[in-house]
Amino acid sequence: MAELAVDVAVVGLGPGGEAVASRLATAGLSVVGIESRLVGGECPYYACVPTKGMIRAADVLAEARRVPEFAGTAQVVPDWGKVAARVRDEITTDWNDQAAVDRLVGAGVQVLRGRARITGPGVLVVGDQVIRASRGIVLNPGTDPAVPPVPGLADTPLWTNREAVSATAVPESLVVIGGGPVGCEFAQVFARFGAEVTLLQSNDRLLPLDEPEASALLAERFAAEGIQVRTGAKITSVRHDGQRFTVELDGADPISAAQVLVAAGRKSDLADLGVGSYGLDESARGVAVDEHMRAADGLWAIGDITGKGAFTHMSMYQAAIAAADILGEEAPGAEYHAVPRVTFTDPEIGSVGLTEAGARAAGINVRVGITQLSSSTRGFLHKAEGLIKLIEDADTGVLVGATSAGPTGGEVLGALVLAVHARVPVDQLRRMIYAYPTFHRAIESALADLRA
Ligand SMILES: Cc1cc2nc3c(=O)[nH]c(=O)nc-3n(C[C@H](O)[C@H](O)[C@H](O)COP(=O)(O)OP(=O)(O)OC[C@H]3O[C@@H](n4cnc5c(N)ncnc54)[C@H](O)[C@@H]3O)c2cc1C
């Protein structure tokens, strides 16, 4: 077996893996980055970037459909061909990662294609190559789409996010399994392009990790757009007859659809990675890390696998911390009290920190403020649905959580992330000047509404 000796090996080149490998190599370490699929990971090829490109197109259609309400007449004829072409040609460059590989190589990283398996502390095997990493290993393997154990489902030609972003045509009817961010985003995109969409959610509401007011807002919007949402749904079996899917439900009529899209969470395989070599539990769902991303002596983990929030911004945040630690730099450890998350539906649902229920469960003396965007001037002008909800720790007088839902909910969220992150006193936020008439000015109304 060929041997390669390096300072650091990075397993998986998702957004964080790319960042950490590049940073370490630029700092002068010898680094090998190992990737079994595409350099860049899920985000640029199958997740954040193509889906947001699809959403942009669907939002343009939805705005155009509002022309009669505001401005005259317009004929809107959706053409998925344009979306599919943009995803292929501009966004994923036909699922080709050469530019990302070149970027890493340019930074001094040795890029190796293949699946890495740890065989001992600091030792990896990739195909017929043994790699010895003297300073250590950084794990950034990400996660794969999980298919729930519904009888028959795994044997059907179902879509996960990977097939959905590669779709060259819109199915005439679509069952989306899962009402989290991924399921909701896809449901609205395909519905806006003409699919008859049914969304099956086992929980009692959409976006169950967000505020119930945000879930209700989205459910109303989905109903108005003709998306059938069935909460509390229990799927008993799924089959495909070569043409169509049949989804059997407990206590409801079966649904027949041209396509099923599964957006029901993610999974990882720690045994396949060989983390047992470091004494870690290979049956766990993720790798536990300390505030410097250390999972064991000489082993760091970053990204989805750490369970701190499956977001690209989290992967990159953790990458910077791990790199500083490996380089022996004095740097603050990770803090997770102000993690932002955005579901890019319309209305866009942005949130940061704790929900009201989460804050109460944490024993915080909670004050809540809420306002509807429709009662703000900008909301009235736009005929926009949305809300701002603030969660204050009444004992410390700072916000510990916030939700911003509306046409630009994720952008308005920025101000609230800053407030939660920097623990800006609510009194100070009340003295701030909010430009008129913006969506973010609704924050002022929500602050005025804060009460126990
Ligand atoms: C549909 C969808 C939409 C999303 N939208 C957003 C969004 O808008 N914003 C956002 O912040 N997040 C979004 N996410 C989440 C985001 O994609 C991930 O959080 C992000 O990709 C970071 O993941 P990661 O760094 O852990 O690794 P990944 O991006 O999953 O990359 C890990 C890489 O490691 C490789 N690998 C795994 N095991 C091995 C091995 N043994 N050897 C070699 N290589 C290996 C894999 O092939 C993969 O390329 C979305 C996710 C989905 C599914």
Short mmCIF file of all heavy atoms in Angstrom, two decimals, residues 224-288:
data_model
loop_
_atom_site.label_atom_id
_atom_site.label_comp_id
_atom_site.label_asym_id
_atom_site.label_seq_id
_atom_site.Cartn_x
_atom_site.Cartn_y
_atom_site.Cartn_z
N ALA A 224 -53.51 28.71 0.92
CA ALA A 224 -53.92 29.70 -0.11
C ALA A 224 -53.32 29.34 -1.47
O ALA A 224 -53.89 29.66 -2.51
CB ALA A 224 -53.48 31.09 0.32
N GLU A 225 -52.17 28.68 -1.47
CA GLU A 225 -51.53 28.31 -2.74
C GLU A 225 -51.94 26.92 -3.21
O GLU A 225 -51.38 26.40 -4.18
CB GLU A 225 -50.00 28.42 -2.60
CG GLU A 225 -49.56 29.85 -2.37
CD GLU A 225 -48.06 30.07 -2.46
OE1 GLU A 225 -47.32 29.15 -2.85
OE2 GLU A 225 -47.63 31.20 -2.12
N GLY A 226 -52.85 26.29 -2.49
CA GLY A 226 -53.37 25.00 -2.94
C GLY A 226 -52.52 23.80 -2.53
O GLY A 226 -52.72 22.69 -3.03
N ILE A 227 -51.56 24.01 -1.62
CA ILE A 227 -50.76 22.88 -1.13
C ILE A 227 -51.56 22.21 -0.01
O ILE A 227 -51.97 22.87 0.94
CB ILE A 227 -49.40 23.36 -0.58
CG1 ILE A 227 -48.60 24.06 -1.68
CG2 ILE A 227 -48.61 22.20 0.04
CD1 ILE A 227 -47.36 24.79 -1.18
N GLN A 228 -51.79 20.92 -0.16
CA GLN A 228 -52.54 20.20 0.87
C GLN A 228 -51.58 19.77 1.96
O GLN A 228 -50.66 18.97 1.70
CB GLN A 228 -53.16 18.95 0.27
CG GLN A 228 -54.23 19.27 -0.72
CD GLN A 228 -55.38 18.28 -0.55
OE1 GLN A 228 -55.59 17.73 0.52
NE2 GLN A 228 -56.11 18.07 -1.62
N VAL A 229 -51.77 20.26 3.15
CA VAL A 229 -50.90 19.87 4.27
C VAL A 229 -51.69 18.94 5.18
O VAL A 229 -52.79 19.27 5.62
CB VAL A 229 -50.44 21.12 5.06
CG1 VAL A 229 -49.65 20.70 6.30
CG2 VAL A 229 -49.61 22.04 4.18
N ARG A 230 -51.13 17.77 5.43
CA ARG A 230 -51.77 16.85 6.38
C ARG A 230 -50.83 16.65 7.55
O ARG A 230 -49.81 15.97 7.41
CB ARG A 230 -52.06 15.51 5.72
CG ARG A 230 -52.93 15.67 4.50
CD ARG A 230 -53.86 14.51 4.36
NE ARG A 230 -54.42 14.49 3.03
CZ ARG A 230 -54.85 13.41 2.42
NH1 ARG A 230 -54.77 12.24 3.02
NH2 ARG A 230 -55.36 13.48 1.21
N THR A 231 -51.17 17.27 8.66
CA THR A 231 -50.35 17.10 9.86
C THR A 231 -50.81 15.84 10.60
O THR A 231 -51.91 15.34 10.35
CB THR A 231 -50.47 18.33 10.77
OG1 THR A 231 -51.85 18.58 11.01
CG2 THR A 231 -49.82 19.55 10.16
N GLY A 232 -49.96 15.34 11.48
CA GLY A 232 -50.29 14.12 12.23
C GLY A 232 -50.44 12.91 11.30
O GLY A 232 -51.07 11.92 11.68
N ALA A 233 -49.84 13.00 10.11
CA ALA A 233 -50.02 11.92 9.13
C ALA A 233 -49.17 10.70 9.50
O ALA A 233 -48.00 10.84 9.88
CB ALA A 233 -49.64 12.41 7.74
N LYS A 234 -49.78 9.53 9.40
CA LYS A 234 -49.02 8.30 9.65
C LYS A 234 -49.08 7.46 8.36
O LYS A 234 -50.13 6.99 7.97
CB LYS A 234 -49.64 7.54 10.83
CG LYS A 234 -48.80 6.36 11.25
CD LYS A 234 -49.23 5.77 12.57
CE LYS A 234 -48.33 4.62 13.00
NZ LYS A 234 -48.00 3.65 11.96
N ILE A 235 -47.92 7.35 7.73
CA ILE A 235 -47.87 6.60 6.47
C ILE A 235 -47.67 5.13 6.81
O ILE A 235 -46.75 4.79 7.56
CB ILE A 235 -46.70 7.11 5.60
CG1 ILE A 235 -46.83 8.63 5.40
CG2 ILE A 235 -46.65 6.40 4.26
CD1 ILE A 235 -45.59 9.28 4.81
N THR A 236 -48.51 4.27 6.26
CA THR A 236 -48.38 2.84 6.59
C THR A 236 -47.62 2.07 5.52
O THR A 236 -46.98 1.07 5.82
CB THR A 236 -49.77 2.20 6.81
OG1 THR A 236 -50.59 2.51 5.68
CG2 THR A 236 -50.42 2.76 8.07
N SER A 237 -47.69 2.52 4.28
CA SER A 237 -46.88 1.88 3.23
C SER A 237 -46.84 2.76 2.00
O SER A 237 -47.67 3.66 1.83
CB SER A 237 -47.45 0.50 2.86
OG SER A 237 -48.63 0.66 2.11
N VAL A 238 -45.82 2.51 1.17
CA VAL A 238 -45.71 3.22 -0.11
C VAL A 238 -45.34 2.18 -1.16
O VAL A 238 -44.51 1.32 -0.91
CB VAL A 238 -44.62 4.32 -0.04
CG1 VAL A 238 -44.50 5.01 -1.40
CG2 VAL A 238 -44.92 5.34 1.04
N ARG A 239 -46.02 2.25 -2.31
CA ARG A 239 -45.62 1.34 -3.40
C ARG A 239 -45.61 2.10 -4.72
O ARG A 239 -46.18 3.20 -4.83
CB ARG A 239 -46.53 0.11 -3.46
CG ARG A 239 -47.97 0.40 -3.67
CD ARG A 239 -48.80 -0.90 -3.75
NE ARG A 239 -50.15 -0.58 -4.18
CZ ARG A 239 -51.11 -0.13 -3.40
NH1 ARG A 239 -50.88 0.00 -2.09
NH2 ARG A 239 -52.31 0.17 -3.87
N HIS A 240 -44.93 1.51 -5.70
CA HIS A 240 -44.84 2.12 -7.02
C HIS A 240 -45.12 1.03 -8.03
O HIS A 240 -44.52 -0.05 -7.97
CB HIS A 240 -43.43 2.72 -7.22
CG HIS A 240 -43.31 3.51 -8.48
ND1 HIS A 240 -42.73 3.03 -9.60
CD2 HIS A 240 -43.71 4.77 -8.76
CE1 HIS A 240 -42.76 3.96 -10.56
NE2 HIS A 240 -43.35 5.03 -10.07
N ASP A 241 -46.05 1.30 -8.97
CA ASP A 241 -46.45 0.24 -9.90
C ASP A 241 -45.75 0.37 -11.25
O ASP A 241 -46.19 -0.20 -12.25
CB ASP A 241 -47.98 0.25 -10.09
CG ASP A 241 -48.46 1.56 -10.74
OD1 ASP A 241 -47.61 2.37 -11.15
OD2 ASP A 241 -49.69 1.76 -10.83
N GLY A 242 -44.68 1.13 -11.27
CA GLY A 242 -43.98 1.35 -12.53
C GLY A 242 -44.39 2.67 -13.17
O GLY A 242 -43.68 3.21 -14.01
N GLN A 243 -45.54 3.19 -12.75
CA GLN A 243 -46.05 4.46 -13.29
C GLN A 243 -46.25 5.49 -12.18
O GLN A 243 -45.77 6.60 -12.27
CB GLN A 243 -47.43 4.23 -13.95
CG GLN A 243 -47.41 3.32 -15.15
CD GLN A 243 -46.93 4.05 -16.39
OE1 GLN A 243 -47.31 5.18 -16.64
NE2 GLN A 243 -46.06 3.41 -17.15
N ARG A 244 -47.00 5.04 -11.14
CA ARG A 244 -47.40 5.98 -10.10
C ARG A 244 -47.11 5.42 -8.71
O ARG A 244 -46.97 4.20 -8.53
CB ARG A 244 -48.90 6.29 -10.20
CG ARG A 244 -49.26 7.10 -11.44
CD ARG A 244 -50.73 7.45 -11.46
NE ARG A 244 -51.15 8.45 -10.48
CZ ARG A 244 -50.99 9.76 -10.62
NH1 ARG A 244 -50.38 10.25 -11.67
NH2 ARG A 244 -51.42 10.60 -9.69
N PHE A 245 -47.05 6.34 -7.76
CA PHE A 245 -46.87 5.96 -6.36
C PHE A 245 -48.24 5.88 -5.70
O PHE A 245 -49.14 6.67 -6.02
CB PHE A 245 -46.09 7.04 -5.60
CG PHE A 245 -44.65 7.15 -5.98
CD1 PHE A 245 -44.26 7.80 -7.14
CD2 PHE A 245 -43.66 6.61 -5.15
CE1 PHE A 245 -42.92 7.93 -7.48
CE2 PHE A 245 -42.32 6.72 -5.49
CZ PHE A 245 -41.95 7.39 -6.65
N THR A 246 -48.39 4.96 -4.75
CA THR A 246 -49.56 4.96 -3.88
C THR A 246 -49.06 5.04 -2.44
O THR A 246 -48.24 4.23 -2.01
CB THR A 246 -50.41 3.67 -4.07
OG1 THR A 246 -50.76 3.59 -5.45
CG2 THR A 246 -51.66 3.72 -3.21
N VAL A 247 -49.53 6.07 -1.75
CA VAL A 247 -49.12 6.27 -0.35
C VAL A 247 -50.32 5.93 0.53
O VAL A 247 -51.36 6.58 0.45
CB VAL A 247 -48.68 7.73 -0.12
CG1 VAL A 247 -48.26 7.95 1.32
CG2 VAL A 247 -47.57 8.12 -1.08
N GLU A 248 -50.17 4.87 1.32
CA GLU A 248 -51.26 4.45 2.21
C GLU A 248 -51.08 5.15 3.56
O GLU A 248 -49.98 5.23 4.08
CB GLU A 248 -51.21 2.92 2.44
CG GLU A 248 -51.33 2.08 1.18
CD GLU A 248 -52.78 1.83 0.77
OE1 GLU A 248 -53.69 2.26 1.53
OE2 GLU A 248 -52.99 1.22 -0.29
N LEU A 249 -52.22 5.61 4.08
CA LEU A 249 -52.18 6.35 5.34
C LEU A 249 -53.09 5.69 6.37
O LEU A 249 -54.09 5.07 6.01
CB LEU A 249 -52.67 7.79 5.11
CG LEU A 249 -51.82 8.63 4.18
CD1 LEU A 249 -52.61 9.80 3.65
CD2 LEU A 249 -50.57 9.11 4.91
N ASP A 250 -52.73 5.86 7.62
CA ASP A 250 -53.56 5.36 8.70
C ASP A 250 -54.76 6.30 8.85
O ASP A 250 -54.59 7.50 9.07
CB ASP A 250 -52.71 5.36 9.99
CG ASP A 250 -53.38 4.58 11.10
OD1 ASP A 250 -54.29 3.80 10.80
OD2 ASP A 250 -52.97 4.77 12.26
N GLY A 251 -55.96 5.79 8.70
CA GLY A 251 -57.17 6.58 8.94
C GLY A 251 -57.50 7.57 7.85
O GLY A 251 -58.27 8.51 8.10
N ALA A 252 -56.93 7.43 6.67
CA ALA A 252 -57.27 8.35 5.57
C ALA A 252 -57.14 7.59 4.26
O ALA A 252 -56.48 6.55 4.19
CB ALA A 252 -56.34 9.56 5.58
N ASP A 253 -57.78 8.15 3.21
CA ASP A 253 -57.71 7.49 1.90
C ASP A 253 -56.27 7.50 1.37
O ASP A 253 -55.52 8.45 1.63
CB ASP A 253 -58.60 8.24 0.90
CG ASP A 253 -60.07 8.01 1.22
OD1 ASP A 253 -60.38 7.02 1.92
OD2 ASP A 253 -60.89 8.84 0.78
N PRO A 254 -55.90 6.47 0.60
CA PRO A 254 -54.56 6.48 0.00
C PRO A 254 -54.41 7.63 -0.99
O PRO A 254 -55.40 8.12 -1.54
CB PRO A 254 -54.47 5.13 -0.72
CG PRO A 254 -55.79 4.50 -0.64
CD PRO A 254 -56.69 5.30 0.24
N ILE A 255 -53.17 8.05 -1.17
CA ILE A 255 -52.90 9.12 -2.14
C ILE A 255 -52.14 8.52 -3.31
O ILE A 255 -51.16 7.80 -3.12
CB ILE A 255 -52.04 10.24 -1.50
CG1 ILE A 255 -52.69 10.75 -0.22
CG2 ILE A 255 -51.83 11.38 -2.49
CD1 ILE A 255 -51.76 11.65 0.58
N SER A 256 -52.59 8.87 -4.50
CA SER A 256 -51.88 8.44 -5.71
C SER A 256 -51.13 9.66 -6.25
O SER A 256 -51.70 10.75 -6.32
CB SER A 256 -52.90 7.94 -6.73
OG SER A 256 -52.29 7.79 -7.98
N ALA A 257 -49.86 9.49 -6.58
CA ALA A 257 -49.07 10.64 -7.04
C ALA A 257 -48.04 10.20 -8.06
O ALA A 257 -47.60 9.04 -8.07
CB ALA A 257 -48.38 11.32 -5.87
N ALA A 258 -47.63 11.14 -8.89
CA ALA A 258 -46.61 10.85 -9.90
C ALA A 258 -45.22 10.71 -9.25
O ALA A 258 -44.34 10.04 -9.80
CB ALA A 258 -46.60 11.95 -10.94
N GLN A 259 -45.02 11.37 -8.11
CA GLN A 259 -43.69 11.35 -7.49
C GLN A 259 -43.82 11.50 -5.97
O GLN A 259 -44.73 12.16 -5.49
CB GLN A 259 -42.84 12.51 -8.05
CG GLN A 259 -41.39 12.47 -7.63
CD GLN A 259 -40.67 11.20 -8.06
OE1 GLN A 259 -40.64 10.85 -9.23
NE2 GLN A 259 -40.10 10.48 -7.10
N VAL A 260 -42.88 10.88 -5.27
CA VAL A 260 -42.75 11.07 -3.81
C VAL A 260 -41.38 11.66 -3.53
O VAL A 260 -40.38 11.22 -4.11
CB VAL A 260 -42.92 9.72 -3.06
CG1 VAL A 260 -42.40 9.82 -1.64
CG2 VAL A 260 -44.39 9.29 -3.06
N LEU A 261 -41.36 12.68 -2.70
CA LEU A 261 -40.09 13.32 -2.31
C LEU A 261 -39.95 13.16 -0.80
O LEU A 261 -40.82 13.58 -0.04
CB LEU A 261 -40.13 14.81 -2.68
CG LEU A 261 -38.86 15.63 -2.67
CD1 LEU A 261 -39.12 16.99 -3.30
CD2 LEU A 261 -38.25 15.83 -1.30
N VAL A 262 -38.86 12.54 -0.38
CA VAL A 262 -38.64 12.33 1.06
C VAL A 262 -37.72 13.41 1.61
O VAL A 262 -36.59 13.59 1.14
CB VAL A 262 -38.03 10.93 1.32
CG1 VAL A 262 -37.71 10.75 2.79
CG2 VAL A 262 -38.99 9.84 0.86
N ALA A 263 -38.24 14.14 2.58
CA ALA A 263 -37.44 15.17 3.26
C ALA A 263 -37.65 14.97 4.76
O ALA A 263 -38.25 15.79 5.44
CB ALA A 263 -37.91 16.55 2.82
N ALA A 264 -37.20 13.82 5.23
CA ALA A 264 -37.54 13.42 6.60
C ALA A 264 -36.29 13.26 7.45
O ALA A 264 -36.16 12.32 8.23
CB ALA A 264 -38.33 12.12 6.55
N GLY A 265 -35.37 14.18 7.30
CA GLY A 265 -34.19 14.16 8.17
C GLY A 265 -32.96 13.56 7.48
O GLY A 265 -33.00 13.19 6.30
N ARG A 266 -31.89 13.48 8.24
CA ARG A 266 -30.59 13.08 7.70
C ARG A 266 -30.00 11.98 8.56
O ARG A 266 -30.42 11.77 9.70
CB ARG A 266 -29.63 14.29 7.72
CG ARG A 266 -30.23 15.58 7.19
CD ARG A 266 -30.27 15.67 5.70
NE ARG A 266 -28.98 15.56 5.07
CZ ARG A 266 -28.82 15.49 3.73
NH1 ARG A 266 -29.87 15.51 2.92
NH2 ARG A 266 -27.63 15.40 3.19
N LYS A 267 -29.04 11.26 8.00
CA LYS A 267 -28.39 10.20 8.78
C LYS A 267 -26.88 10.21 8.54
O LYS A 267 -26.41 10.75 7.52
CB LYS A 267 -28.97 8.84 8.43
CG LYS A 267 -28.70 8.40 6.99
CD LYS A 267 -29.26 7.01 6.79
CE LYS A 267 -29.34 6.53 5.39
NZ LYS A 267 -28.22 6.48 4.51
N SER A 268 -26.17 9.64 9.49
CA SER A 268 -24.71 9.51 9.31
C SER A 268 -24.30 8.09 9.68
O SER A 268 -25.05 7.38 10.35
CB SER A 268 -23.97 10.53 10.17
OG SER A 268 -24.43 10.46 11.49
N ASP A 269 -23.13 7.70 9.24
CA ASP A 269 -22.65 6.33 9.50
C ASP A 269 -21.25 6.41 10.11
O ASP A 269 -20.24 6.45 9.41
CB ASP A 269 -22.64 5.56 8.17
CG ASP A 269 -22.30 4.08 8.39
OD1 ASP A 269 -21.88 3.73 9.52
OD2 ASP A 269 -22.45 3.29 7.44
N LEU A 270 -21.23 6.44 11.45
CA LEU A 270 -19.93 6.61 12.13
C LEU A 270 -19.09 5.34 12.07
O LEU A 270 -17.85 5.41 12.12
CB LEU A 270 -20.16 7.01 13.59
CG LEU A 270 -20.87 8.34 13.81
CD1 LEU A 270 -20.86 8.69 15.29
CD2 LEU A 270 -20.23 9.45 13.00
N ALA A 271 -19.77 4.18 11.95
CA ALA A 271 -19.00 2.92 11.87
C ALA A 271 -18.20 2.90 10.57
O ALA A 271 -17.04 2.48 10.55
CB ALA A 271 -19.97 1.74 11.93
N ASP A 272 -18.82 3.41 9.51
CA ASP A 272 -18.14 3.45 8.21
C ASP A 272 -16.91 4.36 8.27
O ASP A 272 -15.91 4.12 7.59
CB ASP A 272 -19.15 3.96 7.17
CG ASP A 272 -18.56 3.94 5.77
OD1 ASP A 272 -18.13 2.87 5.35
OD2 ASP A 272 -18.54 5.01 5.13
N LEU A 273 -16.99 5.39 9.11
CA LEU A 273 -15.85 6.31 9.25
C LEU A 273 -14.73 5.73 10.11
O LEU A 273 -13.60 6.17 10.05
CB LEU A 273 -16.31 7.61 9.93
CG LEU A 273 -16.87 8.73 9.08
CD1 LEU A 273 -17.38 9.84 9.98
CD2 LEU A 273 -15.81 9.27 8.13
N GLY A 274 -15.11 4.77 10.94
CA GLY A 274 -14.11 4.13 11.80
C GLY A 274 -13.73 4.94 13.04
O GLY A 274 -12.61 4.82 13.55
N VAL A 275 -14.67 5.73 13.56
CA VAL A 275 -14.32 6.58 14.71
C VAL A 275 -14.11 5.76 16.00
O VAL A 275 -13.60 6.30 16.99
CB VAL A 275 -15.37 7.70 14.97
CG1 VAL A 275 -15.44 8.65 13.81
CG2 VAL A 275 -16.74 7.11 15.29
N GLY A 276 -14.47 4.48 15.94
CA GLY A 276 -14.20 3.61 17.08
C GLY A 276 -12.72 3.55 17.40
O GLY A 276 -12.31 3.29 18.54
N SER A 277 -11.87 3.81 16.40
CA SER A 277 -10.42 3.82 16.62
C SER A 277 -10.02 4.85 17.67
O SER A 277 -8.95 4.78 18.26
CB SER A 277 -9.68 4.18 15.33
OG SER A 277 -10.02 3.29 14.31
N TYR A 278 -10.88 5.87 17.85
CA TYR A 278 -10.62 6.90 18.87
C TYR A 278 -11.44 6.66 20.13
O TYR A 278 -11.55 7.53 20.98
CB TYR A 278 -10.94 8.29 18.31
CG TYR A 278 -9.87 8.84 17.40
CD1 TYR A 278 -9.89 8.56 16.04
CD2 TYR A 278 -8.84 9.63 17.90
CE1 TYR A 278 -8.91 9.06 15.19
CE2 TYR A 278 -7.85 10.12 17.07
CZ TYR A 278 -7.89 9.85 15.71
OH TYR A 278 -6.91 10.35 14.89
N GLY A 279 -12.05 5.48 20.20
CA GLY A 279 -12.85 5.16 21.39
C GLY A 279 -14.23 5.80 21.36
O GLY A 279 -14.93 5.83 22.37
N LEU A 280 -14.64 6.32 20.19
CA LEU A 280 -15.96 6.95 20.11
C LEU A 280 -17.04 5.91 19.78
O LEU A 280 -16.75 4.90 19.14
CB LEU A 280 -15.98 8.06 19.05
CG LEU A 280 -14.95 9.18 19.21
CD1 LEU A 280 -15.20 10.27 18.16
CD2 LEU A 280 -15.02 9.79 20.61
N ASP A 281 -18.25 6.22 20.24
CA ASP A 281 -19.38 5.33 20.02
C ASP A 281 -19.83 5.38 18.56
O ASP A 281 -20.34 6.40 18.09
CB ASP A 281 -20.53 5.76 20.95
CG ASP A 281 -21.79 4.94 20.76
OD1 ASP A 281 -21.74 3.95 20.00
OD2 ASP A 281 -22.82 5.29 21.38
N GLU A 282 -19.67 4.28 17.85
CA GLU A 282 -19.99 4.27 16.42
C GLU A 282 -21.47 4.14 16.15
O GLU A 282 -21.92 4.30 15.01
CB GLU A 282 -19.22 3.14 15.72
CG GLU A 282 -17.73 3.39 15.72
CD GLU A 282 -16.95 2.45 14.81
OE1 GLU A 282 -17.48 1.37 14.49
OE2 GLU A 282 -15.81 2.80 14.45
N SER A 283 -22.27 3.86 17.20
CA SER A 283 -23.72 3.77 16.98
C SER A 283 -24.40 5.11 17.27
O SER A 283 -25.61 5.24 17.10
CB SER A 283 -24.32 2.68 17.86
OG SER A 283 -24.18 3.06 19.22
N ALA A 284 -23.62 6.11 17.68
CA ALA A 284 -24.21 7.42 17.98
C ALA A 284 -24.67 8.10 16.70
O ALA A 284 -24.26 7.72 15.60
CB ALA A 284 -23.19 8.29 18.71
N ARG A 285 -25.53 9.11 16.86
CA ARG A 285 -26.03 9.83 15.66
C ARG A 285 -25.04 10.87 15.17
O ARG A 285 -25.10 11.31 14.04
CB ARG A 285 -27.35 10.52 15.99
CG ARG A 285 -28.47 9.54 16.20
CD ARG A 285 -29.80 10.25 16.11
NE ARG A 285 -29.92 11.01 14.87
CZ ARG A 285 -31.00 11.67 14.51
NH1 ARG A 285 -32.04 11.67 15.28
NH2 ARG A 285 -31.05 12.34 13.38
N GLY A 286 -24.14 11.29 16.07
CA GLY A 286 -23.19 12.31 15.68
C GLY A 286 -21.94 12.21 16.54
O GLY A 286 -21.80 11.31 17.36
N VAL A 287 -21.03 13.15 16.30
CA VAL A 287 -19.77 13.16 17.05
C VAL A 287 -19.81 14.33 18.03
O VAL A 287 -19.94 15.49 17.60
CB VAL A 287 -18.58 13.31 16.08
CG1 VAL A 287 -17.27 13.44 16.86
CG2 VAL A 287 -18.51 12.12 15.13
N ALA A 288 -19.71 14.04 19.32
CA ALA A 288 -19.72 15.10 20.32
C ALA A 288 -18.38 15.82 20.30
O ALA A 288 -17.32 15.18 20.22
CB ALA A 288 -19.98 14.52 21.70
#
